[in-house]
Amino acid sequence: GAVVSQHPSWVICKSGTSVKIECRSLDFQATTMFWYRQFPKQSLMLMATSNEGSKATYEQGVEKDKFLINHASLTLSTLTVTSAHPEDSSFYICSAQDGQVNTEAFFGQGTRLTVV
Amino acid sequence: GENVEQHPSTLSVQEGDSAVIKCTYSDSASNYFPWYKQELGKRPQLIIDIRSNVGEKKDQRIAVTLNKTAKHFSLHITETQPEDSAVYFCASGGSYIPTFGRGTSLIVHP
């Protein structure tokens, strides 16, 4: 199957700093990627839909100025958590589909963010 | 938008027993229903999926059934093994954006 690579797999940062997470589709082009946040023992909460060449679509309640998404190419989307605070600590995971509607979602490895 | 309900949230079985996880969805236009398995600290991975033109699909010990009229679909795991222990998510693909259920933590006791 297709491969989605996410980096870093874990990061620890100080409060007030920004952290960038990358999501790459390695062997296919993804015009759309999805960013999720997952709390322990909970489901995948969709944060935003990243569209190549255009602005991301954010879900209700997600601050677009805090979670900056850039999808500059067909294989790369980035999520930047700006001015991170301890409450932003979570597991962030991206996914992409191989260009077609209603097909398997391929997930990145996820990023464990800890803000201290 | 689509609403997916998943039950139970936790399921504990003995090795060798069967496990059933159920999901309901709201969007009658949904036509793609995948199931993902997520082991602790790892990414979700597709284990089986079904499209609306069939009512059942089987892959070894795993099967999925779909009732479009009632808008529900289920995951069946037979002869469970300890390595089946994980969180299982159902999803509904009514539009381009998949909607996930809340997840079921399956625990298989040896």
Side-chain angles (χ1 to χ4, degrees), chain A residues 3-5 31-32 34 36 38 41-44 46 49 59 91 93 97 99-105 107-109, chain B residues 29-32 34 36 38 41-46 49 51 87 89 92-98 100-103:
Chain A
V3 177
V4 174
S5 179
T31 55
T32 303
F34 304 100
Y36 297 89
Q38 188 176 34
K41 298 185 179 181
Q42 294 193 23
S43 189
L44 300 158
L46 180 65
T49 303
E59 295 299 299
F91 189 66
I93 192 164
Q97 291 165 250
Q100 297 180 38
V101 177
N102 290 335
T103 57
E104 177 181 355
F107 289 87
Q109 303 97 311
Chain B
S30 294
N31 56 15
Y32 177 62
Y36 294 88
Q38 186 179 26
K42 296 187 177 181
R43 73 185 87 192
Q45 292 193 302
L46 182 75
D49 56 13
R51 297 189 181 276
V87 178
F89 294 98
S92 172
S95 62
Y96 194 68
I97 302 174
F100 289 89
R102 295 180 65 83

Side-chain angles (χ1 to χ4, degrees), chain A residues 8 11-21 65-68 79-85 88 113-115:
Chain A
V11 58
I12 301 173
C13 71
K14 292 184 177 180
S15 288
T17 61
S18 296
V19 173
K20 180 184 284 188
I21 303 169
D65 293 331
K66 181 166 187 62
F67 299 100
L68 300 178
L79 168 68
T80 301
V81 183
T82 62
S83 187
H85 292 286
D88 297 325
L113 171 64
T114 302
V115 185

Side-chain angles (χ1 to χ4, degrees), chain B residues 18-107:
Chain B
S18 294
V20 180
I21 303 170
K22 298 181 179 181
C23 286
T24 60
Y25 62 98
S26 60
D27 188 351
S28 57
S30 294
N31 56 15
Y32 177 62
F33 307 94
W35 286 89
Y36 294 88
K37 175 183 180 182
Q38 186 179 26
E39 297 179 6
L40 189 63
K42 296 187 177 181
R43 73 185 87 192
Q45 292 193 302
L46 182 75
I47 55 171
I48 195 167
D49 56 13
I50 192 168
R51 297 189 181 276
S52 59
N53 56 343
V54 296
E56 184 174 0
K57 184 177 179 180
K58 190 173 182 180
D59 182 4
Q60 299 182 336
R61 297 187 296 110
I62 296 173
V64 56
T65 58
L66 170 65
N67 183 325
K68 282 221 72 178
T69 303
K71 294 184 194 169
H72 66 70
F73 56 111
S74 301
L75 177 71
H76 305 252
I77 306 174
T78 59
E79 300 172 31
T80 54
Q81 301 167 3
E83 51 265 38
D84 294 331
S85 296
V87 178
Y88 292 81
F89 294 98
C90 64
S92 172
S95 62
Y96 194 68
I97 302 174
T99 302
F100 289 89
R102 295 180 65 83
T104 296
S105 178
L106 174 63
I107 303 167

